[in-house]
Amino acid sequence: MTETMTTEPAATLTLAKLYASDSAAFSKLEPDQSSKAAMQKDVEQMGSGLIEAFTFAAALAVLYEALDVAFLDILKSGWKTMAELQAYRDLEKHPPEEKSWVKLGRHKLTSAHEPKVEVLFNGKHLGQLDFDAKLTLNVTDAKLKVQNGRIWEVTGPVFEGEATLSYKGFLLLKKNLARFTLPSGVTFEKGVPIIPMPVSIG
């Protein structure tokens, strides 16, 4: 199966750009009717006459800016706790001068965010609209360069999955992400510290 190499440089690819190429394109998306009704109700309760001035396009434009989360930061957050990398935290078994390439198996990365849109009228803050953004990625073929307990480089990752936006439990938007990859040799200038895997208690 073939994949598309994103035309967006890895360093500038963001969560927002996975939904739409820019703010103008994002503003033209048509939200689900249930989420639109919920937003309208909340805006109407914030102040008399406010609903007449409210537009979904304007709200989406601001929301797009709130989704300006670096894609590489999402990858760093998911990879730094991977089970395959935990052994490389032991600097006695893997001394600082040792360089290793670690091939990760097929895995899933999930990233949740809570972007907010402030509602202003005549310069006065009246409230805010709280959204839930979720990115789910299935990742294959990723190889990470590891040294001194840190991740320094990644090559070959292939991604596919979906990005969703919700408002008060109502699905606002859903974007299916076709298979794509990043340019080879994406480097992390300061390295990404490998940290212990989270422990579930329950």
Side-chain angles (χ1 to χ4, degrees), residues 31-101:
D32 174 82
Q33 291 300 314
S34 297
S35 59
K36 284 181 67 173
M39 277 190 282
Q40 284 178 320
K41 180 179 179 181
D42 288 345
V43 170
E44 195 169 17
Q45 292 176 344
M46 291 179 190
S48 176
L50 184 58
I51 192 62
E52 287 78 10
F54 176 79
T55 67
F56 289 104
L60 289 178
V62 176
L63 178 58
Y64 189 83
E65 298 303 318
L67 291 168
D68 187 25
V69 180
F71 184 65
L72 288 183
D73 286 345
I74 293 174
L75 297 183
K76 292 176 190 177
S77 180
W79 282 336
K80 67 184 180 182
T81 59
M82 291 291 292
E84 292 94 327
L85 302 182
Q86 292 302 305
Y88 295 91
R89 298 178 56 244
D90 188 338
L91 298 185
E92 290 187 1
K93 293 183 178 179
H94 300 280
E97 65 274 11
E98 178 186 286
K99 298 177 182 179
S100 303
W101 281 97

Side-chain angles (χ1 to χ4, degrees), residues 90-119:
D90 188 338
L91 298 185
E92 290 187 1
K93 293 183 178 179
H94 300 280
E97 65 274 11
E98 178 186 286
K99 298 177 182 179
S100 303
W101 281 97
V102 183
K103 183 174 175 59
L104 302 180
R106 180 181 176 87
H107 58 284
K108 179 181 289 187
L109 297 179
T110 302
S111 185
H113 306 267
E114 298 179 346
K116 305 179 188 304
V117 172
E118 292 190 22
V119 179

